């Protein structure tokens, strides 16, 4: 398995002209689990969205860098960051009615692992060509088989495949769908934004098993969280404490436990 | 002359073929032209008189003062009748090559291979190609172009023609009644179910040419038929007028579905009157897609005249640059326990304008009626516009009327979500738009659904690139 590195150096981000992240640095390798913990308003969401490239988050690109294996990400649109291997599991993913889960997964997979750069025009002119499966990484049959396999592992009914993305999904179903996408799209690095909120114990188990499977496949995972609940199920290799836009402490899994018992009082 | 037309490459279906005509009326309209059309078609005297009377009404009627801007229509600059070839072809092989070529491009032979029940394609003002499968004939189903219908079934036509939409209805219905040509005549005998959709394709192919087809569908008691009409039109240099009339009679317990996809080129005025009269326990369903044209004014209507009659109108409109789609639906409840549903979805982009215009009327004495109106508009940018003009005229107490309207902008968050999965912005946008209209697209026959999605995608990707 090839080892990749996601390297965040001195990331500075502001929102509406207000500085939120004031130079965040962290590095993560394939197969590692990192937790970024912090109280409300510490800049966790800003970190998450800025990494994925949301346009409302203004990055000071003259100082900081974000790179996967030395390929710089900060000047790329979100879709190209995804193509470099970055994935974001949203805290409250938005519903997209009428766009089915299977359409999303098929389209995204082929964008990420398409076998050729055939022009969109051709595809539009010829619906047969457009619908032809375009990936050499997996055949369509393998893809479908894998999708069913992971859905089963997450205890998701296959009827979800034909529903609109997150349309009418419960809190737990939304989180599972985010994990399902991560499993199918096999990113080099995945960021999980408050993945444990609103989950009952069963769903939490399924979600954390999903993350562990992902780690075994080599994905580096960053769990961004307020509480350490998820960390009882998914043991982090490194814990970073984010307070007021800066990493103020780092340590192993025991740091998460310390915060669980003592809160963030020591840092603020 | 088509070669001189500037080719607008944003309009992907903008091709036109050399014209080949047998007879072309002079430009503009007067009594002579109207009488001449009737003469050329060897029509019975009553139809000639109907046309002339309609022409008088057309002259008297004022232009509509509401709706879209129709100020640029030059009635004197239009050919009202063009007859392309002497005889109608009976089979595909007999079609002239350039006509065949045109149909090849819009994929009719393929469509036919997909077990279509029959193909009736209108080229210019006249239906030139038709194939009716033996099964239809054995069921007693009549599926003809309107001219042949008048010739072969004069009593039926005389009994129903102009009864649902009289020439007095509006200026453009009067115009169509005066100069109509082509269109379809469908008769379904009692109890007969036509399992496969009847399809008609047509396109305008002469610059400055008006298209005035006339369709009459009669579904007898307990019968069922699905009629599908789709059109794509080539590019012209000057404004064109399309003004059709569609009349449908749904008898007791019968069900008719009428599906249209309109994709006229961006210089066409598309002013169509469509109405169904629905008798006891009958069901009428309009599925209406409006993508092209400069201006569309079209409000498929259901007149529910028998107890428990039901009408459904599904409408999608897409307005791009310089387009105004003024569309919607009309449900008139004239009997008790009747129900109606109007669902309208519109998309505006690049400064395009969509309007929903709808009427629900419950007549006095029509008790326990139900109606639901949902209109959702999606705006893709700040320059585009959408308006809603719902009209409710309720003259009874015991009614259940629902009305919902939403206007949304394509969500930044939705785009970001799809982009974060590796999907480029333009594609993400067309996925969201296709998702928005999905509830209506899923009601379309498969090949139309595919075409609809493709057309939306062309529109989206063309401008984002």
């Amino acid at each position: 398995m090839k080892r990749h590195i996601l390297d965040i150096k001195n990331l500075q981000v502001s929102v509406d002209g207000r500085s939120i992240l004031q130079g965040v640095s962290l590095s993560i390798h394939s197969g590692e689990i990192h937790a970024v913990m912090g109280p409300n308003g510490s800049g966790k969401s800003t970190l998450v969205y800025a990494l994925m490239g949301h346009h409302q988050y203004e990055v000071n690109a003259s100082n900081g860098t974000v790179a996967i294996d030395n390929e710089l990400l900060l000047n790329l649109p979100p879709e190209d960051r995804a193509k470099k291997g970055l994935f974001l599991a949203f805290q409250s993913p938005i519903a997209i009615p009428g766009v089915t889960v299977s359409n999303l997964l098929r389209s995204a997979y082929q964008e990420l692992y398409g076998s050729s750069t055939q022009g969109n025009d051709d595809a539009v002119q010829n619906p047969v060509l457009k619908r032809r499966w375009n990936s050499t990484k997996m055949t369509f049959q393998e893809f479908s088989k894998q999708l069913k396999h992971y859905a089963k592992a997450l205890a998701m009914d296959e009827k979800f495949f034909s529903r609109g993305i997150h349309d009418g999904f419960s809190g737990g179903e939304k989180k599972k769908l985010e994990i399902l996408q991560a499993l199918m799209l096999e990113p080099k690095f995945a960021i999980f934004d408050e993945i444990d909120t609103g989950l009952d114990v069963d769903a939490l188990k399924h979600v954390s098993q999903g993350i562990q499977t992902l780690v075994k496949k080599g994905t580096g995972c960053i769990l961004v969280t307020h509480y350490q609940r998820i960390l009882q199920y998914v043991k982090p290799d490194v814990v970073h404490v984010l307070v007021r836009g800066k990493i103020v402490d780092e340590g192993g899994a025991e740091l998460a436990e310390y915060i669980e018992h003592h809160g963030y009082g020591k840092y603020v | 002359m088509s070669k001189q037309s500037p080719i607008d490459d944003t309009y992907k279906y903008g091709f036109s073929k050399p014209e080949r005509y047998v007879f072309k009326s002079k430009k503009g309209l007067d009594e002579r032209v109207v009488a001449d059309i009737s003469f050329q078609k060897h029509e019975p005297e009553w139809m000639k008189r109907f046309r002339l009377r309609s022409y008088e009404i057309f002259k008297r009627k004022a232009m509509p003062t509401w709706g879209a801007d129709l100020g640029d229509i030059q009635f004197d600059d239009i050919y009202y009748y063009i007859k392309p070839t002497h005889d109608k072809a009976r089979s595909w092989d007999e079609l002239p090559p350039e006509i065949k070529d045109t149909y090849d491009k819009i994929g009719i032979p393929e469509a036919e291979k997909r077990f279509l029940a029959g193909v009736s394609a209108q080229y210019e003002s006249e239906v030139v190609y038709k194939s009716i499968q033996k099964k239809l004939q054995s069921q007693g189903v009549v599926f003809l172009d309107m001219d042949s219908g008048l010739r072969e079934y004069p009593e039926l036509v005389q009994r129903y023609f102009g009864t649902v939409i009289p020439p007095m209805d509006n200026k453009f219905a009067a115009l169509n009644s005066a100069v109509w040509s082509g269109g379809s005549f469908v008769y379904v005998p009692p109890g007969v179910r036509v399992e496969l959709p009847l399809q008609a394709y047509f396109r305008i192919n002469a610059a400055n040419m008006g298209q005035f087809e006339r369709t009459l569908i009669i579904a007898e008691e307990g019968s069922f038929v699905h009629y599908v009409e789709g059109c794509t039109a080539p590019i012209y240099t000057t404004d064109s007028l399309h003004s059709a009339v569609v009349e449908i009679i749904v008898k007791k317990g019968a069900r008719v579905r009428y599906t249209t996809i309109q994709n006229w080129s961006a210089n066409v005025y598309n002013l169509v009157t469509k109405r169904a009269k629905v008798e006891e326990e009958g069901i009428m369903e309009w599925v209406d897609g409006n993508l092209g044209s400069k201006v569309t004014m079209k409000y498929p209507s259901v007149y529910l005249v028998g107890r428990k009659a039901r009408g459904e109108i599904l409408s999608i409109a897409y307005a791009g640059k310089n387009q105004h789609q003024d569309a919607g639906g009309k449900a008139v409840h004239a009997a008790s326990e009747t129900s109606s549903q109007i669902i309208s979805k519109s998309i505006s982009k690049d400064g395009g304008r969509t309007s929903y215009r709808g009427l629900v009327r419950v007549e006095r004495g029509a008790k326990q009626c139900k109606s639901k109106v949902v209109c959702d508009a999606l705006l893709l940018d700040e320059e585009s516009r959408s308006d809603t003009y719902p009209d409710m005229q309720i003259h009874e107490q015991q009614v259940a009327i629902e009305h919902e309207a939403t206007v949304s902008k394509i969500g930044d968050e939705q785009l970001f979500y799809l982009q974060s999965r590796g999907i480029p912005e333009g594609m993400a946008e067309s996925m969201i738009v296709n998702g928005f209209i999905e509830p209506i697209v899923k009601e379309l026959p498969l090949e139309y659904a595919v075409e609809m999605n493709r057309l939306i995608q062309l529109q989206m990707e063309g401008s984002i690139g």
Side-chain angles (χ1 to χ4, degrees):
Chain A
M1 186 173 21
K2 192 165 180 284
R3 245 169 99 77
H4 303 284
I5 178 165
L6 169 64
D7 206 3
I8 303 167
K9 278 192 189 136
N10 192 27
L11 182 63
Q12 299 172 23
V13 182
S14 47
V15 180
D16 295 331
R18 200 161 60 93
S19 168
I20 307 286
L21 293 189
Q22 293 156 359
V24 169
S25 301
L26 70 88
S27 293
I28 170 169
H29 292 88
S30 295
E32 290 179 356
I33 301 172
H34 287 219
V36 173
M37 301 184 69
N40 289 335
S42 58
K44 297 194 300 291
S45 295
T46 301
L47 174 65
V48 163
Y49 282 103
L51 285 174
M52 200 68 236
H54 193 293
H55 66 86
Q56 279 175 354
Y57 295 82
E58 305 136 33
V59 173
N60 181 349
S62 55
N63 290 323
T65 56
V66 174
I68 292 178
D69 301 337
N70 295 322
E71 286 191 285
L72 296 171
L73 300 186
L74 288 178
N75 289 320
L76 302 178
E79 61 267 32
D80 290 344
R81 298 184 195 203
K83 281 172 192 158
K84 299 288 183 204
L86 197 62
F87 180 91
L88 169 59
F90 289 73
Q91 181 185 359
S92 313
I94 188 142
I96 311 182
V99 180
T100 63
V101 168
S102 58
N103 182 9
L104 168 67
L105 284 166
R106 283 197 311 265
S107 304
Y109 191 85
Q110 292 177 89
E111 285 297 323
L112 298 177
Y113 301 109
S115 54
S116 69
T117 49
Q118 82 187 192
N120 262 337
D121 276 355
D122 277 1
V124 167
Q125 296 298 344
N126 186 338
V128 177
L129 196 64
K130 184 178 154 50
R131 273 179 293 175
R132 186 185 293 161
W133 181 251
N134 174 33
S135 173
T136 48
K137 192 173 150 85
M138 266 197 274
T139 66
F140 181 64
Q141 285 71 23
E142 287 164 344
F143 177 86
S144 305
K145 204 175 143 191
Q146 194 157 118
L147 180 57
K148 284 180 187 175
H149 168 76
Y150 285 134
K152 200 175 163 196
L154 291 166
M156 286 181 83
D157 198 299
E158 284 177 26
K159 72 173 193 282
F160 281 104
F161 301 167
S162 53
R163 284 177 56 179
I165 300 164
H166 294 303
D167 191 15
F169 281 39
S170 72
E173 289 162 353
K174 285 182 179 178
K175 296 291 163 80
K176 284 182 179 181
L177 178 55
E178 294 295 290
I179 301 284
L180 180 69
Q181 291 178 61
L183 287 164
M184 288 306 295
L185 300 179
E186 304 187 325
K188 294 190 179 92
F189 296 95
I191 307 160
F192 297 88
D193 189 12
E194 305 282 2
I195 193 71
D196 52 353
T197 50
L199 293 184
D200 62 28
V201 176
D202 284 342
L204 189 60
K205 274 183 190 155
H206 284 123
V207 161
S208 38
Q209 276 161 13
I211 294 173
Q212 271 151 0
T213 306
L214 205 57
V215 170
K216 270 184 219 136
K217 285 165 60 160
T219 297
C221 292
I222 301 176
L223 306 174
V224 178
T225 180
H226 185 115
Y227 302 104
Q228 67 121 23
R229 190 165 168 236
I230 182 82
L231 305 179
Q232 292 167 345
Y233 296 86
V234 184
K235 192 164 169 279
D237 300 299
V238 182
V239 174
H240 310 263
V241 181
L242 181 69
V243 175
R244 291 194 189 128
K246 285 182 181 154
I247 303 280
V248 294
D249 201 358
E250 283 177 335
E254 71 288 346
L255 183 53
E257 271 171 47
Y258 171 85
I259 290 168
E260 174 73 5
H261 291 111
H262 300 93
Y264 294 100
K266 158 178 164 186
Y267 304 109
V268 292
Chain B
M1 67 196 292
S2 60
K3 288 219 172 75
Q4 292 156 11
S5 307
I7 298 301
D8 176 0
D9 61 4
T10 60
Y11 186 80
K12 303 297 194 292
Y13 288 172
F15 47 83
S16 68
K17 295 266 118 194
E19 299 171 19
R20 192 169 115 173
Y21 304 111
V22 176
F23 172 83
K24 198 167 179 172
S25 67
K26 66 175 176 123
K27 270 189 185 178
L29 196 55
D30 56 26
E31 273 180 27
R32 281 273 313 279
V33 171
V34 175
D36 207 23
I37 291 171
S38 196
F39 174 77
Q40 288 285 337
K41 291 170 176 288
H42 312 289
E43 288 178 346
E45 186 62 21
W46 72 265
M47 182 57 83
K48 183 178 147 194
R49 285 204 306 271
F50 177 85
R51 286 180 183 275
L52 288 168
R53 202 169 65 238
S54 302
Y55 174 63
E56 288 305 314
I57 294 167
F58 167 72
K59 278 197 298 187
R60 281 205 316 272
K61 280 251 178 203
M63 293 287 272
T65 51
W66 46 274
D69 181 5
L70 304 177
D72 287 340
I73 299 177
Q74 300 294 326
F75 288 105
D76 293 338
D77 204 28
I78 291 170
Y79 293 105
Y80 286 88
Y81 180 57
I82 299 172
K83 188 176 177 181
T85 55
H86 272 302
D87 300 305
K88 281 182 275 298
R90 270 290 151 201
S91 75
W92 187 252
D93 292 340
E94 292 168 31
L95 280 174
E98 72 269 13
I99 295 181
K100 215 150 105 175
D101 194 29
T102 299
Y103 288 139
D104 272 340
K105 284 184 184 160
I106 50 177
I108 289 191
E110 279 168 52
E112 197 179 40
K113 277 175 211 147
R114 287 181 212 134
F115 307 104
L116 299 182
V119 171
S120 163
Q122 185 172 1
Y123 188 79
E124 312 305 331
S125 300
E126 196 125 7
V127 174
V128 293
Y129 169 63
K130 175 180 309 297
S131 79
I132 297 172
Q133 302 228 330
K134 286 209 170 73
K135 194 177 177 213
L136 282 181
Q137 285 172 343
S138 70
Q139 288 181 306
V141 175
V142 178
F143 179 29
L144 292 170
D145 66 279
M146 196 64 230
D147 296 277
S148 304
L150 175 60
R151 228 172 3 257
E152 295 177 32
Y153 299 88
E155 298 84 11
L156 266 179
V157 172
Q158 191 170 7
R159 184 169 156 203
Y160 291 107
F161 197 95
T163 57
V164 183
I165 303 171
M168 278 304 290
D169 193 81
N170 65 74
K171 189 174 181 75
F172 291 93
L175 177 63
N176 175 283
S177 299
V179 301
W180 71 268
S181 205
S184 295
F185 174 68
V186 177
Y187 175 83
V188 188
V192 169
R193 292 184 58 84
V194 182
E195 296 297 341
L196 299 161
L198 299 177
Q199 308 220 4
Y201 294 74
F202 53 87
R203 47 195 291 129
I204 302 177
N205 208 35
N208 266 357
M209 200 205 117
Q211 183 95 11
F212 304 97
E213 86 277 4
R214 181 97 189 189
T215 289
L216 174 62
I217 298 176
I218 302 152
E220 290 283 5
E221 280 191 17
S223 66
F224 168 73
V225 66
H226 182 187
Y227 182 87
V228 183
E229 159 203 274
C231 33
T232 53
I235 297 292
Y236 296 112
T237 50
T238 54
D239 290 347
S240 251
L241 175 61
H242 172 248
S243 183
V245 166
V246 178
E247 297 179 283
I248 300 182
I249 291 127
V250 184
K251 296 277 184 77
K252 185 179 175 183
R255 180 172 158 219
V256 175
R257 170 174 279 214
Y258 192 107
T259 299
T260 309
I261 298 243
Q262 171 273 111
N263 189 27
W264 299 114
S265 56
N267 55 339
V268 172
Y269 284 89
N270 182 45
L271 311 169
V272 176
T273 310
K274 288 178 160 173
R275 190 174 302 157
K277 190 174 103 181
V278 192
E279 297 181 1
E280 191 174 333
E281 292 182 347
I283 299 173
M284 177 66 212
E285 299 158 310
W286 295 103
V287 180
D288 204 59
N290 297 296
L291 286 160
S293 83
K294 176 179 183 176
V295 168
T296 288
M297 285 174 71
K298 183 161 47 150
Y299 324 97
S301 310
V302 286
Y303 280 59
L304 307 168
V305 298
R307 201 182 55 88
K308 288 194 172 173
R310 175 164 179 79
E312 275 185 32
I313 300 156
L314 294 175
S315 151
I316 315 178
Y318 174 96
K321 197 175 180 187
N322 299 325
Q323 281 185 287
H324 185 181
Q325 305 281 11
D326 198 287
K330 203 158 116 178
V332 176
H333 296 255
S336 293
E337 295 175 73
T338 50
S339 58
S340 65
Q341 176 173 287
I342 302 174
I343 295 180
S344 155
K345 298 233 174 200
S346 71
I347 300 152
S348 319
K349 185 174 161 64
D350 296 331
R353 181 174 172 199
T354 57
S355 310
Y356 166 78
R357 194 178 300 276
L359 170 69
V360 174
R361 186 163 74 223
V362 178
E363 306 284 8
R364 195 156 289 126
K367 300 197 187 303
Q368 285 164 340
C369 296
K370 277 187 207 160
S371 180
K372 181 176 181 182
V373 177
V374 180
C375 39
D376 298 330
L378 186 63
L379 300 176
L380 299 193
D381 49 47
E382 299 293 333
E383 300 81 58
S384 299
R385 172 172 170 191
S386 177
D387 310 282
T388 307
Y389 305 96
D391 190 4
M392 303 267 174
Q393 301 170 4
I394 314 297
H395 302 293
E396 265 300 327
Q397 301 292 319
Q398 298 172 317
V399 291
I401 309 285
E402 284 177 60
H403 178 88
E404 298 166 22
T406 66
V407 178
S408 46
K409 287 191 184 138
I410 198 158
D412 273 0
E413 297 312 312
Q414 291 179 328
L415 281 176
F416 177 66
Y417 187 87
L418 293 178
Q419 285 179 271
S420 79
R421 299 308 186 236
I423 295 166
E425 187 176 354
M427 187 176 162
E429 202 171 21
S430 76
M431 280 171 81
I432 293 167
V433 171
N434 277 323
F436 173 75
I437 59 173
E438 189 268 350
I440 290 176
V441 170
K442 76 176 183 212
E443 297 296 325
L444 300 175
L446 181 64
E447 61 272 30
Y448 279 76
V450 169
E451 185 179 8
M452 188 81 186
N453 284 332
R454 203 162 79 214
L455 289 169
I456 291 281
Q457 201 167 350
L458 281 172
Q459 305 273 17
M460 294 290 131
E461 290 177 359
S463 50
I464 292 169

